[in-house]
């Protein structure tokens, strides 16, 4: 357990340090997210009744699209830099590599998602500064990252990785998207645990299943 | 994959029996048998595509064999992969270094991954050993290929491996770097570890290793004791292996 935590932390710190220096993933994902939000802003008249109906869906479509862009890079950058073998040669379980990568992907995605709160407020008058929505954001993002980290490893082995990841990812995370949209509606309508809790538990249950399965499956994905 | 119930021989660092691997329908290794003792050097020769890198990468646990038994330091590849990884050092075609980290940061990261105690001291000593101390604070991306290779060698030696696997390690090294490589290989062997080195530099391979094998079409084509062969003899065998592969390939 100590070795697992040590290795996962080392990978997380290394990824965060690299991201702080290069801002490769963060800047491209944030720019894409803002563009997606603006595109939605031009596609319909954002009056209160329309926003109440489609607002939560817009938020999560934007998050999912930007998440795919970010997660595509999780293992692709290691493979492109030629450093993936360095990780694979280390005498640590693949679960530790998975945990480190999952933590760094989740961190970058959650930061980008929270930076989009003011953008949604400005464009759609959607006030996402709500503790229940923050909890839903974190829980759903962990689920996305849990699946996306595994599929990023699979996709990084292929030439068509930009196409493959969404094809694999979207059908699997559909339950999380449904749960996130439903709980966001509840949170934005002023509901508390009564409106959000059931869906939050649903998302967390999926998170746990995906975390266990993806962590176990990574070993089979990474070797030639 | 088959298993072998025979207990490991303590003096044997690498024990490979019947190792086979294909990529799609293309066989890369065919029933390879080899043994390397502790303190012994083995040079792998062969033309491009003969199977040298695949063999080294399989020993390094980067490739999963299809058939055969691989034991390193007494550990079976199938059941004790993390233990094998903790005793091997690997220098491949790529440096395995992060371009936007410094050599010191890279080595500290790998030291943590290997769970080394007193990692900072080990990192500083390793940088010194490969002559990279004065470059330790520069990002890897601004270092020359030769300096990156030196740091890659330091990375491979951080945890004092009992088996050192080198895949064309001389690539990118200048004269001084080659001398360093030679002294590293000799030092590692003197320390009781074994070295397997795939190389096109036949002269260097014969000078650094006690035994040599020539691979062709994924098979062990010839097996030599280096003290009783010559550069010319190996060259001839490598060339004939190449001819054979070209002929075989044309027939297919």
């Amino acid at each position: 357990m100590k070795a697992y935590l040590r290795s996962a932390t080392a990978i997380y710190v290394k990824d965060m340090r690299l991201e702080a220096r290069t801002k490769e993933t963060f800047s491209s994902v944030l720019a894409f997210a803002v563009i997606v939000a603006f595109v939605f802003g031009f596609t319909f008249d954002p009056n209160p009744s329309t926003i109440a109906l489609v607002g939560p869906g817009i938020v999560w479509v934007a998050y999912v699209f930007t998440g795919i862009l970010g997660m595509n890079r999780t293992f692709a950058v290691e493979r492109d830099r030629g450093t993936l073998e360095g990780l694979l040669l280390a005498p640590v379980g693949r679960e530790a590599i998975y945990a480190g990568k999952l933590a760094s992907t989740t961190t970058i995605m959650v930061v980008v998602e929270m930076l989009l709160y003011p953008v949604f407020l400005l464009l759609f008058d959607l006030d996402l500064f709500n503790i229940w929505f923050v909890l839903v954001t974190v829980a759903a993002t962990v689920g996305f990252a849990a699946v996306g980290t595994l599929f990023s490893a699979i996709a990084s082995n292929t030439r068509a990785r930009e196409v493959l990841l969404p094809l694999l990812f979207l059908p699997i995370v559909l339950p999380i998207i449904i749960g996130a949209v439903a709980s966001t509606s509840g949170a934005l309508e002023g509901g508390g645990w009564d409106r959000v809790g059931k869906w939050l538990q649903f998302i967390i249950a999926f998170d746990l299943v995906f975390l266990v399965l993806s962590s176990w499956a990574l070993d089979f994905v990474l070797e030639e | 994959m088959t298993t072998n119930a025979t207990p490991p021989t303590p003096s044997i660092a690498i024990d490979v029996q019947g190792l086979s691997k294909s990529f799609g329908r293309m066989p890369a290794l065919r029933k390879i048998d080899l043994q390397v003792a502790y303190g012994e050097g083995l040079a792998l020769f062969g033309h491009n595509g003969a199977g040298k890198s695949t063999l080294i990468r399989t020993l390094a646990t980067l490739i999963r064999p299809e058939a055969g038994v691989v034991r390193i330091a007494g550990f079976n590849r199938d059941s004790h992969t993390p233990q094998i990884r903790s005793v091997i050092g690997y220098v491949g075609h790529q440096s395995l270094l992060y371009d936007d980290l410094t050599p010191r940061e890279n080595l500290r990261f790998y030291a943590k991954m290997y769970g080394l105690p007193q990692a900072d001291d080990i990192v500083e000593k390793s940088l010194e050993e490969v002559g990279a101390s004065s470059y330790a604070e520069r990002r890897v991306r601004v270092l020359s290929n030769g300096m990156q290779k030196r740091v890659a060698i330091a990375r491979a030696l951080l945890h004092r491996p009992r088996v050192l696997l080198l895949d064309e390690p001389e690539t990118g090294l200048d004269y001084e770097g080659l001398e360093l490589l030679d002294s590293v290989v000799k030092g590692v062997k003197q320390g009781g570890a074994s070295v397997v080195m795939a190389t096109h530099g036949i002269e260097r391979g014969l000078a650094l290793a006690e035994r040599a094998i020539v691979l062709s079409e994924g098979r062990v084509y010839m097996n030599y004791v280096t003290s009783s062969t010559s550069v010319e003899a190996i060259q001839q065998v490598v060339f004939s292996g190449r001819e054979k592969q070209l002929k075989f390939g044309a027939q297919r």
Side-chain angles (χ1 to χ4, degrees):
Chain A
M1 190 62 185
K2 202 176 157 190
Y4 170 87
L5 287 174
R6 185 197 64 234
S7 313
T9 308
I11 292 169
Y12 176 74
V13 170
K14 180 266 297 174
D15 280 354
M16 290 294 104
R17 182 172 284 157
L18 282 170
E19 192 53 42
R21 281 188 192 161
T22 64
K23 296 172 187 69
E24 276 176 7
T25 303
F26 181 77
S27 55
S28 56
V29 167
L30 182 62
F32 182 73
V34 172
I35 289 168
V36 169
F38 268 92
V39 168
F40 277 124
F42 286 115
T43 53
F44 63 92
D45 176 25
N47 61 63
S49 59
T50 317
I51 290 300
L53 198 66
V54 298
I58 290 171
V59 170
W60 284 102
V61 167
Y63 284 1
V64 168
F65 282 1
T66 54
I68 288 171
L69 191 71
M71 285 179 299
N72 233 330
R73 299 179 58 79
T74 307
F75 278 97
V77 286
E78 296 280 359
R79 207 172 276 279
D80 293 347
R81 286 173 184 148
T83 48
L84 184 60
E85 288 183 357
L87 295 181
L88 299 183
L89 285 165
V92 297
R94 297 308 182 232
E95 319 84 60
I97 297 175
Y98 175 81
K101 286 286 174 193
L102 171 77
S104 56
T105 303
T106 305
T107 303
I108 292 170
M109 283 174 63
V110 166
V111 170
V112 168
E113 286 163 359
M114 289 186 171
L115 286 174
L116 281 180
Y117 285 11
V119 176
F120 285 117
L121 184 65
L122 200 71
L123 289 175
F124 306 108
D125 201 22
L126 267 175
D127 186 4
L128 302 175
F129 295 93
N130 172 318
I131 185 64
W132 291 109
F133 181 71
V134 173
L135 288 175
V136 172
T137 302
V138 174
T141 307
V142 168
F144 292 159
V147 178
T149 302
L150 174 69
F151 288 161
S152 165
I154 295 171
S156 73
N157 259 328
T158 67
R159 274 181 286 184
R161 61 187 174 217
E162 288 81 7
V163 181
L164 188 63
L165 180 64
L167 286 178
L168 295 170
F169 175 79
L170 286 171
I172 302 285
V173 298
L174 200 57
I176 295 180
I177 297 173
I178 293 168
V181 171
S183 52
T184 300
S185 291
L188 294 181
E189 284 163 15
W193 178 253
D194 54 323
R195 296 282 309 275
V196 182
K198 182 181 72 179
W199 288 108
L200 198 56
Q201 285 173 313
F202 174 79
I203 294 169
I204 291 169
F206 266 93
D207 287 358
L208 293 173
V209 171
F210 289 146
L211 282 169
V212 172
L213 288 179
S214 302
S215 181
W216 168 78
L218 193 71
D219 195 25
F220 301 96
V221 170
L222 287 175
E223 271 185 280
E224 284 182 53
Chain B
M1 193 161 167
T2 59
T3 53
N4 192 330
T6 316
T9 316
S11 63
I12 299 298
I14 300 172
D15 183 11
V16 174
Q17 291 166 29
L19 173 64
S20 296
K21 174 71 186 177
S22 301
F23 294 108
R25 292 165 63 185
M26 183 69 77
L29 298 175
R30 306 179 205 218
K31 294 184 179 174
I32 299 272
D33 293 328
L34 67 88
Q35 289 193 327
V36 185
Y38 284 112
E40 186 182 39
L42 174 73
L44 300 179
F45 300 122
H47 50 77
N48 292 334
K52 303 186 299 294
S53 292
T54 305
L55 178 55
I56 293 262
R57 288 167 59 78
T58 307
L59 295 177
T61 72
L62 290 169
I63 293 176
R64 200 187 291 269
E66 276 165 13
V69 178
V70 176
R71 274 213 181 87
I72 295 187
F75 298 115
N76 191 307
R77 163 72 175 79
D78 290 343
S79 53
H80 292 82
T81 317
Q83 287 85 345
I84 290 180
R85 288 179 184 134
S86 69
V87 297
I88 56 164
Y90 170 80
V91 179
H93 293 186
Q94 290 170 313
S95 70
L96 310 186
L97 302 173
Y98 292 89
D99 283 349
D100 288 294
L101 298 182
T102 66
R104 181 173 283 132
E105 287 169 339
N106 267 288
L107 295 191
R108 281 182 180 166
F109 167 66
Y110 281 112
K112 281 180 189 157
M113 293 297 284
Y114 280 86
L116 303 181
Q118 296 164 329
D120 287 356
D121 293 345
I122 293 171
V123 166
E124 295 311 317
K125 200 176 160 205
S126 298
L127 286 167
E128 208 173 304
E129 278 172 359
V130 298
S133 292
S134 52
Y135 298 88
E137 283 304 308
R138 296 184 194 178
R139 288 195 194 182
V140 165
R141 68 165 63 251
V142 302
L143 301 181
S144 67
N145 282 343
M147 189 50 69
Q148 289 186 22
K149 197 54 155 280
R150 285 169 181 244
V151 182
I153 291 170
R155 181 199 55 75
L157 297 175
L158 265 184
H159 55 297
R160 302 293 174 240
R162 291 160 73 190
V163 172
L164 182 61
L165 304 168
L166 305 170
D167 192 1
E168 298 179 26
E170 63 272 46
T171 313
L173 288 175
D174 59 9
Y175 181 73
E176 222 179 298
L178 290 172
E179 279 195 333
L180 171 80
L181 174 68
D182 293 354
S183 74
V184 162
V185 171
K186 285 173 188 165
V188 165
K189 284 196 300 172
Q190 277 166 7
S194 63
V195 178
V196 179
M197 180 166 108
T199 179
H200 291 290
I202 296 174
E203 202 173 336
R204 168 157 283 101
L206 291 182
L208 292 175
E210 285 72 33
R211 287 194 303 119
I213 60 175
V214 178
L215 290 171
S216 176
E217 301 170 52
R219 288 194 182 94
V220 176
Y221 193 51
M222 287 285 175
N223 208 324
Y224 295 95
V225 173
T226 54
S227 56
S228 59
T229 188
S230 65
V231 174
E232 293 74 26
I234 300 276
Q235 270 173 343
Q236 216 167 8
V237 172
V238 170
F239 184 72
S240 71
R242 173 78 182 143
E243 293 275 281
K244 196 177 157 195
Q245 180 162 354
L246 285 173
K247 200 174 156 191
F248 180 68
Q251 280 168 355
R252 278 193 299 190

